[in-house]
Amino acid sequence: MAAISTTMLSLVPPGGHLVSSDSLYSGTEKLLTEFVAGHLGVDVEFVDAREPENVATAVDSNTDLIWAETPTNPLMRLCDVRSIADITHDYGVPVGVDSTFASPYFQSPLELGADIAVHSTTKYLNGHSDSIGGAVVTDDDEIFENLAFAQRIGLGNMLSPFDCYLVARGIKTLPARMEHHQENAMAIAHLLEAHDRVASVYYPGLESHPQHNLAAEQMSGYSGMLSFEFDGTLVELEAFIDGLELFTPGASLGGVESLVEVPSLMIPDEVSHGSATAEIPETLVRISVGIEDVDDLCEDLRTALP
Ligand SMILES: *Cc1c(COP(=O)(O)O)cnc(C)c1O
């Protein structure tokens, strides 16, 4: 969040105009609605960024920043970074992409035309659930100077040396971990897709994902995050979560151990009810697939599902 707020505060002046995808990590949504809009008086416009035309309609030459998350937390929606960058660069507006779910191993927003890529290093980059931090990456000198000034002087939100050490250690195994996360996630996505108590599975690697072709084009892999809609009552859903032995309930993600989250039950205050941003279904389950033995993970799910 420090990486994202530094980006916002560096590039969007009070009273400015920001266009954001309407499917977002709940913390970013709160930052945009309550702080950037509420406190700084920025006109924050949420659009369904799955269609680049919606971004085209909202952007004009007074827009300060386009913000997009892809794939999104927790709905696993994608946006076409290249098309969005092509549209907004005609207006001279920079594009920032939160690429946390893909990790730098599977997606390079700057190569797709974005000006800024943001990662929560808390997640895949560190990978061991023992550090909190973020990274902002840009290939634009002016944006870099603004960000560096805001970080050093304006906000002072530096990552501690020990957290830097932990993340640097984690990055050494990023490729090996990401390949394993993806392999396990694909197996679990197929298992869930075939299960009769699962209504829909959202994983960009599945051919049934409505944006699978875009995923195949702009990502080099599908990562280890997926979500699904459970077909049953909230009581049954709670029993399923309680019955899991290898998936720990937890709101973080991207670590070597598998985590499961039900936003409506575990972070009810943060769940969007679809006013300006995309609605999170009540029985949506998000899984951060770890690198444990895949047969053990599948067996655990099969046993716990009703
Ligand atoms: C977790 C997360 C963040 C925030 O990261 P923190 O390290 O918890 O501040 C931002 N964006 C996405 C997509 C995330 O999943």
Side-chain angles (χ1 to χ4, degrees):
M1 289 315 299
I4 297 173
S5 59
T6 302
T7 307
M8 299 294 165
L9 291 169
S10 307
L11 301 178
V12 187
H17 183 225
L18 182 134
V19 176
S20 169
S21 57
D22 68 358
S23 178
L24 288 168
Y25 166 62
S26 61
T28 308
E29 182 190 329
K30 276 226 150 107
L31 170 75
L32 293 184
T33 52
E34 294 183 19
F35 192 78
V36 176
H39 197 64
L40 298 176
V42 170
D43 175 13
V44 177
E45 209 171 325
F46 292 105
V47 298
D48 185 342
R50 287 175 295 182
E51 294 298 334
E53 297 80 63
N54 294 334
V55 178
T57 307
V59 70
D60 61 42
S61 51
N62 293 319
T63 306
D64 297 290
L65 179 67
I66 307 295
W67 191 254
E69 193 174 300
T70 186
T72 66
N73 182 355
L75 293 172
M76 307 303 302
R77 293 182 180 174
L78 273 63
C79 64
D80 183 338
V81 176
R82 200 182 295 281
S83 299
I84 290 175
D86 283 348
I87 292 164
T88 60
H89 285 164
D90 287 345
Y91 295 93
V93 179
V95 179
V97 174
D98 183 339
S99 192
T100 297
F101 265 34
S103 89
Y105 184 68
F106 284 136
Q107 183 168 267
S108 305
L110 301 191
E111 281 173 22
L112 297 168
D115 304 280
I116 298 157
V118 161
H119 291 274
S120 164
T121 62
T122 311
K123 316 292 172 55
Y124 286 117
L125 279 164
N126 178 58
H128 297 75
S129 311
D130 52 11
S131 158
I132 290 175
V136 192
V137 187
T138 182
D139 56 4
D140 181 300
D141 289 343
E142 196 183 325
I143 291 174
F144 176 80
E145 288 305 327
N146 281 339
L147 286 167
F149 180 77
Q151 186 194 30
R152 239 184 11 253
I153 308 297
L155 302 166
N157 48 5
M158 298 291 180
L159 200 59
S160 79
F162 188 66
D163 285 289
C164 292
Y165 156 78
L166 288 173
V167 175
R169 174 216 53 182
I171 288 173
K172 289 173 188 165
T173 55
L174 183 70
R177 283 186 285 110
M178 294 314 296
E179 293 289 350
H180 203 150
H181 282 299
Q182 163 171 253
E183 202 177 304
N184 286 1
M186 192 69 94
I188 287 173
H190 283 300
L191 179 157
L192 292 170
E193 197 171 38
H195 200 282
D196 60 5
R197 298 305 298 273
V198 173
S200 328
V201 182
Y202 306 110
Y203 182 61
L206 286 179
E207 278 175 25
S208 60
H209 189 287
Q211 296 172 293
H212 174 69
N213 290 343
L214 174 61
E217 209 181 286
Q218 81 176 3
M219 303 172 75
S220 57
Y222 307 107
S223 207
M225 295 301 301
L226 59 87
S227 59
F228 67 95
E229 283 183 57
F230 176 78
D231 186 6
T233 64
L234 278 182
V235 173
E236 287 176 308
L237 176 50
E238 268 188 298
F240 158 57
I241 301 293
D242 285 347
L244 289 166
E245 288 186 11
L246 295 180
F247 295 80
T248 307
S252 195
L253 60 101
V256 291
E257 292 102 359
S258 294
L259 296 178
V260 61
E261 184 200 60
V262 180
S264 71
L265 295 174
M266 291 165 56
I267 50 163
D269 295 346
E270 291 179 29
V271 169
S272 165
H273 297 294
S275 43
T277 49
E279 185 164 5
I280 313 287
E282 201 174 39
T283 60
L284 188 89
V285 181
R286 189 193 73 184
I287 294 183
S288 174
V289 181
I291 63 167
E292 301 93 334
D293 182 274
V294 71
D295 294 333
D296 288 351
L297 293 177
C298 289
E299 181 60 26
D300 196 27
L301 286 168
R302 263 191 230 104
T303 308
L305 276 165

